[in-house]
Every structure is written in C-alpha cells, then in structure tokens.
Amino acid sequence: MKITEPPRTPARRKADLLVRLEREIDIWVATADTDGLPCLVPLWFVWHDEAVWLCTRLTNPTGRNLRDGRSTRLALGDTRDVVLVDGDVETFPSAEVPPAAAEAFRAKTGWDPREDHASYAFFRVRPRAVQAWCEQHELPRRHLMRDGVWAV
C-alpha cells in the first residue's frame, strides 16, 4: 500500500473530526467492569455542548460500567481513518438530563429515551484526550486534545 496524500495538519484534522461528530450517528463505546472485564458496543450519540452524549439502559453492562467506572474510550472510523476519544463520564437519569441535550439527541437520532423505558439514562462524555489519524504518516501529530484542552 502506498500513501499518496500528504498528512493533514492538526487544524484540518480537528475540523474533520468536528464534522464527523455532527454527521455520524454511531460510535464505539469501550468500558470495563470493576473486575476489568471489557465491554465494547456501538451506541447512537450526539455531539452537544462540547461533549458526546450517549444513552443506554443502566441495567446493561455498558450502562453500569459507564456509571460506575466514570470513564470510557470512544472510537469512530475504521483502521484507515481513526478517531479515539478518552473521556470522563457523568450519568443522568432520564428525568434529570438537561433538556437541551435530550432534545439534541432526539433531533439527531429520532428517538427520545425519556419516553421509553424508565431504565434508560443519558451519559455525558467530556473529552479528556482526542487522537485522529489517517494512515501511518499522520501518527506523529495525532494528539488533538490532551488533559481536556484542544492542542489546536
């Protein structure tokens, strides 16, 4: 395989990332339980107010892990166009979710979990670290955010 495109600048990568966060509907969510057993699932999401908002049931492994572990790694893309987001998690029962976040989720996905089963909760993931790269030649400048601060 040959890499023919020049590497994107970090500013271009951030712009591309923000477009993807608005456009894409599914994100991979990696968590672990208190024994370290990993769990990886795709969930619908919305990028709202500088955070990724997810929704799932508190009664399933992902919901429990997000609530109890309070951290996650999120992933977009495939092996040739990768985005990794490490973030801190806050849990909001459906009745306590900020209305603007719930409405943004409903507008993007067409689903309002507040009108569904009571065990659904929303999870706000505030990015702590963000990496983005296409192909090996973009690896050296892949860190777009560190310690919750955009590097670009």
Side-chain angles (χ1 to χ4, degrees), residues 15-151:
D16 291 348
L17 164 67
L18 293 174
V19 167
R20 289 182 74 184
L21 289 170
E22 292 296 328
R23 182 188 70 224
E24 294 192 28
I25 195 166
D26 298 308
I27 198 162
W28 286 100
V29 180
T31 62
D33 68 14
T34 55
D35 293 326
L37 182 67
C39 183
L40 178 66
V41 298
L43 292 177
W44 285 348
F45 79 98
V46 65
W47 175 251
H48 173 73
D49 198 22
E50 295 294 310
V52 173
W53 286 84
L54 311 165
C55 187
T56 192
R57 291 179 186 226
L58 280 170
T59 55
N60 68 34
T62 299
R64 288 190 306 269
N65 295 348
L66 287 167
R67 180 195 61 209
D68 298 343
R70 301 188 53 141
S71 67
T72 186
R73 172 168 273 184
L74 308 174
L76 290 171
D78 57 35
T79 59
R80 305 241 188 268
D81 187 6
V82 177
V83 172
L84 297 177
V85 177
D86 294 319
D88 299 317
V89 178
E90 291 178 78
T91 302
F92 295 86
S94 288
E96 297 173 21
V97 65
E103 182 53 31
F105 190 89
R106 188 210 54 77
K108 184 175 184 182
T109 67
W111 174 51
D112 189 342
R114 296 171 299 177
E115 298 173 358
D116 211 320
H117 195 276
S119 67
Y120 281 103
F122 286 82
F123 302 89
R124 176 171 48 200
V125 179
R126 292 207 182 270
R128 185 175 59 256
V130 177
Q131 301 175 59
W133 71 91
C134 287
E135 305 290 348
Q136 181 276 336
H137 67 302
E138 287 192 354
L139 282 174
R141 298 186 342 164
R142 69 187 175 272
H143 295 278
L144 303 181
M145 178 186 281
R146 291 178 192 260
D147 299 320
V149 177
W150 290 107

